[in-house]
Structures are given as structure tokens and as C-alpha cells.
Amino acid sequence: MSAHQTHTVVAHKESFLRRYIFSQDHKIIGIQYYLTSLFMAVVGGILAMLIRLQLGWPGSSGIRPDAYLAFVTMHGTIMIFFFLTTILTGGFGNFLIPLQIGARDMAFPFLNMLSYWLFPPAIIVLLASFFVSGGAPNSGWTAYPPLSALKEAAPGSGLGQTLWLISLAILIVAFLFGSLNYITTVLTLRTRGMSMMRLPLTIWALFITAILSLLAFPVLLAAAVMLLFDRIAGTSFFLPAGLVVGGKLIPSAGGSPLLWQHLFWFLGHPEVYVLILPPMGFVSDILSTFSRKPIFGYKVMVASISAIGFLSFIVWGHHMFVSGMNPWLGTAFMATTLVIAVPSAIKTFNWLATLYKARITISTPMLFALGFVSLFVTGGLTGIFLGSPTIDIQLHDTYFVVAHFHFVMASAALFGVFAGTYYWFPKMFGRMMSERLGRWHFWLTFLGIYATFFPMHYLGIAGMMRRIYSPLLYPHLQPLQPLNVFISVAAFVLGVSQLIFAFNFFWSLFRGEKAPVNPWRANTLEWTAPSPPPHGNWGETLPTVHRWPYDYSVPDAREDYIPQTVPVAVPGARREV
């Protein structure tokens, strides 16, 4: 047991700046990440509304083509890297990991603080691209060269693209600091009795996610630096020979644009699971808690999370089926892509088995957890089509792909964020959120997502391309315009419904009902700490773990839940997983 875990916690006074701004307390840093990420969600959501305004009413939106492409680029960048990744790993990861493993703080508190304080500069640099000459980048969130490598390629290919790369590099360093901290904390600071196979599935998901981030993000960091060199130092990592732009021959030693795609997607596909694994962990814990049943197949769930993490590194090529790759290589990527569906399906069936014949309590966290399962299955099924080269070549770069990743990656991850927020809000802030407002928020969001993104599958099959400025410019898309109008109206309803969440969040923060220590009657360690937890999380003595976290409805037990801290001598207690 490390000294960090066993030292006596002494109350000490801190200035406002040290306690709430430059804090080294994992809980404050988690909340900082959470609130800052919510701000970026607002920015990304406004950009989404502008995109749908243009696509719904192309002739009267007043949005210029270069501005529209910049909105598309920045919306994807913000929502993936600056909202979902940061709120799930930086927000929930920081808050939950020490509390759920019985530690007082992260292994490296100063590095943890530094991780957060790289986040605001990255945001400032990114948003500054809107205000420089040429505007924000319009190369898409994937930043494919040569559009992103040549300053003269497009209006947004100038300083705005350079700022985009610098911002992403800063943010990646923050991710790496956080990942090192999470892995070290889980491996070295677990409390007495907390073996790896007694960890909640939330911790397993965050742990594997940190490993993915640590191994994959450096590849994109290297690619971003190489692309910066191409832009400002005259190198040719990604610029092919003989490239002509605007009638002018671009001098180049003969690089490869496909090299950027390989480097980007080597991060890009693990990034999908960086966004989806934490919600899988949240949902596993929430479903078990509100079903009053042990999670079905705990060890298999752990193995599935690990398998998804491993397989995510060998499937990146399915994003590049149209790049002219050798058919045999395409077949290999197809096979690994379909194989990764197996552990994902196992998790889904285990969730359904957990719900089978359960005494389900329909609370707001449970609704969002069930909604996650629905969205994940819908998006996952369409992914099977895109995993096959023969089908993907036809559907690539169409709105079918937009529909797929907004279901499986964006919307499902968002539902994980909402489920986790409603579930752990009492522990974070010591108050309860409104159940009535939470239900309204769920139903409007759930129906709004299906109304917005499900029709996009049809648009894609009908041939509507991604990132086009106006569907009315193409005769074969003009008959589909009423459907675009419907999607835009649904998107506006979806966007407005988030105001319910915002009101519920901030109203409950100050006026919500005081939360008891364990309002959900859950078993994991964070529910044994006060709400909100004090500095050091517990008093002088850390909790001791005697069992796994899913002892619900144990026969002959006095209560239908037995926390991890209850000794196994209690009649009916479960000794083994």
C-alpha cells in the first residue's frame, strides 16, 4: 500500500484560486473539465444548427460556401475532440477513478492540474481561427491533405488551418498527461481488497480507454507536426509531386496524402472507442443498479472491453476502402471490422440478460442508459454495411455514413454523458436533479435524434454527398429537399430540448433537493463518501473492499443491495465474482 493512500488527511485552508481554479483535487479538476466541455458543446451545437439551416433552406440562409465548410469542419472537431473526449475522460474519468477505487486522489495531482490547464489554451487557439484572415479551416475534421497542407488551396487553408493543427497538438498533450495519470492511479492506488476483478465496469472502461489514448494519440500528434512542417517548413510528407493548384505547379519532393489518412485513422478508429467505452461502463453500472440485479457475465464484460480495445487498433483501414488499397488488404480490414462486432454484441446481450426478469426502476439515468443501448444497436447494425468494401465503396462519403457515426459515436456517447450526469450529479454537487425535467429532456432528445439522423440513411442511399453546400445544385437531390427540411426542423427541436437539460443542471446546482449519501442504493465505493466528497474523499481511514460491486438482490440479505465495504461474513454475501 502506497504512502499516498495511507496518510492521514489533515484539514487545511486554501485560497479560492488554489481550491477552485488551480486546484490539484481530482474532483475539482473533473468538474472543471466537465463545465468547460459543456461550453464547447454549446459552440459545436450552434455550428450544427447553422449547418442544418443551410441544408434545409439553401437559398435563404445567408451562409457563404466557405463559411459553411468551416462550420462543418469545426463542428466535427469540437464535438469529437473538445466535447465528448474531454467530458468523458477528463470530466468523468477524473471525478470517478479515485472515488471508485478507494484512493484519495490521482497518482500525479500536479500533472492532473497541468492536463486541464492545457485545455483552455487549446480552445482559445482553435476558436481564434474564426477571426483570422481566411477564416477557420474548411478541410473537414479529418483535415485531408493536400487541402490542409497548402495555404493557397482554399480560403480556410491559411492561418486558420495552422491554428487548428497547433490547437489539436496542445490538446493531445493534455490527453497524454491524463492517460498516464489514469493508468498509474488504477494500477497502484486501489484501496485494500480492491483487486482488478472487483473493479466496477466503469473503471475497467476508463482504464482501457486511457490505454487506447496513450497508444493512439501520439500517432496523430506526430502527423500534426509533420503537416505543420509541410505548411511552414517546405517539407513534403503529404504533398505529392506534380500537384497543380490554380494553374500553378506546387514544388514537392513527392510525399503521400495517403500517409496522412493512415496516421489519422490509426488514431481515428480507436477514438471511436475512446468515446464509446466509458459510456459502456456507465451504462453497465446504471443498468445493474436500477435493475436491482448483478450485471450478467462480469468477467466476459471485462474481456469484451479488453478485446474491443485491442481490435480497435487493427481496423483503421475500413475508412480507406476507396483509396485504391489492394483487395486482399481490404478483405483483411473487413474481417477484423466484422470481428470487432462480436465483443460489442456480447456486451449488448449481457445488458439485455441483466434486464431480463428484473425489478426495473425507471429513473432518468436508467432512461438514458436504455436509450444508449438503442442508439448503439442502431448505429452498430449500419456499421456492418460500411465494414464491407463492396457496399462501403458505394456509400462512402454519403449521408449514410453521417447517419451511422452520429448514431454509434455521437448520439450514443452523448446519451452516456447524460446518463452519467443524472446518475453522479448528487455525488458531484450534493443535490438531486429534477426527475420531471429529466424525463422531458430524455424523450425530446431520444425522439429528436431518431427524427434527425435516421432519415439520413435514406439520403445516403439516394446519393446525397457529405459536406455539400446546397443539395439544390444537383438534379438528383432536388426531389429529396422536403426530407432535408424535415431533418432540419427535427434538429432544431433536438437542439432546443437541450435547454431543458441546461436549466435542470444549473437550477439543481443551487436549488435542487439535498442529496443523501447514497440516493440510488448502489454498491460502489463512491456512494460511501459524503455528497459532495471532501478533500481526500474519506476521513482518516480509507474504505476496505470485501466483495465485487454488483451484489444486488442477494438471497436472504436484509437489503436488496450490499455495498463493497460490507464484510463477506454477512449472511448471503457473495464471496466470488
Side-chain angles (χ1 to χ4, degrees), residues 101-437:
I101 68 171
R104 300 218 180 268
D105 210 317
M106 287 291 179
F108 311 114
F110 179 80
L111 191 67
N112 203 23
M113 178 187 72
L114 190 59
S115 166
Y116 171 74
W117 280 106
L118 286 171
F119 186 24
I123 291 173
I124 292 170
V125 173
L126 182 76
L127 297 183
S129 66
F130 280 112
F131 306 101
V132 299
S133 178
N138 48 31
S139 57
W141 77 277
T142 56
Y144 281 179
L147 189 60
S148 61
L150 294 173
K151 296 179 182 179
E152 59 269 40
S157 298
L159 181 56
Q161 186 70 61
T162 300
L163 292 174
W164 186 92
L165 289 166
I166 294 172
S167 170
L168 204 60
I170 296 171
L171 188 66
I172 290 172
V173 174
F175 290 156
L176 296 180
F177 286 171
S179 298
L180 283 169
N181 227 341
Y182 307 151
I183 294 169
T184 306
T185 302
V186 171
L187 291 179
T188 65
L189 296 186
R190 300 188 309 277
T191 192
R192 189 183 305 277
M194 179 63 84
S195 66
M196 292 295 287
M197 296 310 292
R198 285 177 172 173
L199 291 174
L201 289 172
T202 290
I203 298 299
W204 269 108
L206 290 168
F207 177 66
I208 298 299
T209 297
I211 295 174
L212 295 185
S213 299
L214 189 65
L215 296 178
F217 271 110
V219 177
L220 184 59
L221 178 60
V225 172
M226 292 162 68
L227 188 53
L228 277 171
F229 284 168
D230 277 7
R231 293 177 56 80
I232 63 179
T235 59
S236 298
F237 292 111
F238 307 118
L239 288 172
L243 188 65
V244 177
V245 176
K248 176 185 174 183
L249 179 66
I250 304 298
S252 169
S256 172
L258 287 181
L259 175 60
W260 169 268
Q261 292 192 34
H262 280 290
L263 295 175
F264 182 89
W265 288 117
F266 188 81
L267 167 276
H269 203 79
E271 171 67 5
V272 171
Y273 295 101
V274 167
L275 301 188
I276 211 68
L277 283 179
M280 284 180 168
F282 302 169
V283 166
S284 298
D285 285 358
I286 292 170
L287 289 181
S288 181
T289 299
F290 292 101
S291 297
R292 314 313 294 170
K293 279 182 63 178
I295 194 71
F296 185 86
Y298 172 86
K299 290 183 178 179
V300 177
M301 295 286 265
V302 171
S304 296
I305 293 172
S306 304
I308 289 171
F310 170 75
L311 291 170
S312 69
F313 282 103
I314 56 176
V315 299
W316 81 90
H318 69 229
H319 295 276
M320 300 171 58
F321 284 145
V322 298
S323 66
M325 68 170 57
N326 186 293
W328 290 107
L329 182 59
T331 301
F333 279 121
M334 177 188 72
T336 54
T337 299
L338 296 179
V339 166
I340 205 172
V342 175
S344 299
I346 288 172
K347 295 187 71 63
T348 302
F349 287 123
N350 281 12
W351 290 327
L352 296 177
T354 302
L355 294 170
Y356 181 66
K357 291 187 176 180
R359 294 183 292 112
I360 297 173
T361 301
I362 301 298
S363 64
T364 303
M366 185 64 161
L367 284 173
F368 277 100
L370 294 171
F372 169 89
V373 176
S374 172
L375 296 169
F376 179 72
V377 170
T378 300
L381 290 175
T382 57
I384 296 174
F385 295 96
L386 297 175
S388 171
T390 53
I391 302 175
D392 179 77
I393 288 172
Q394 301 300 317
L395 294 176
H396 191 87
D397 210 31
T398 70
Y399 260 71
F400 191 95
V401 179
V402 177
H404 161 70
F405 75 68
H406 273 91
F407 266 108
V408 77
M409 183 174 165
S411 299
L414 180 64
F415 265 52
V417 170
F418 287 140
T421 299
Y422 283 103
Y423 186 63
W424 281 295
F425 186 93
K427 188 56 57 179
M428 288 181 174
F429 303 108
R431 294 183 181 272
M432 304 295 294
M433 294 184 75
S434 166
E435 277 288 312
R436 176 177 296 180
L437 292 177

Side-chain angles (χ1 to χ4, degrees), residues 16-60:
F16 180 85
L17 283 176
R18 290 291 296 167
R19 184 172 184 181
Y20 294 110
I21 308 300
F22 299 107
S23 175
Q24 296 185 33
D25 187 323
H26 72 97
K27 301 179 293 296
I28 299 298
I29 294 172
I31 292 170
Q32 287 174 323
Y33 259 116
Y34 185 97
L35 295 176
T36 309
S37 299
L38 282 187
F39 166 75
M40 293 306 288
V42 172
V43 177
I46 291 172
L47 294 175
M49 297 300 100
L50 293 173
I51 292 168
R52 286 315 315 177
L53 179 66
Q54 167 61 24
L55 290 175
W57 298 272
S60 56

Side-chain angles (χ1 to χ4, degrees), residues 526-539:
E526 75 271 23
W527 300 109
T528 65
S531 300
H535 176 74
N537 299 333
W538 289 275

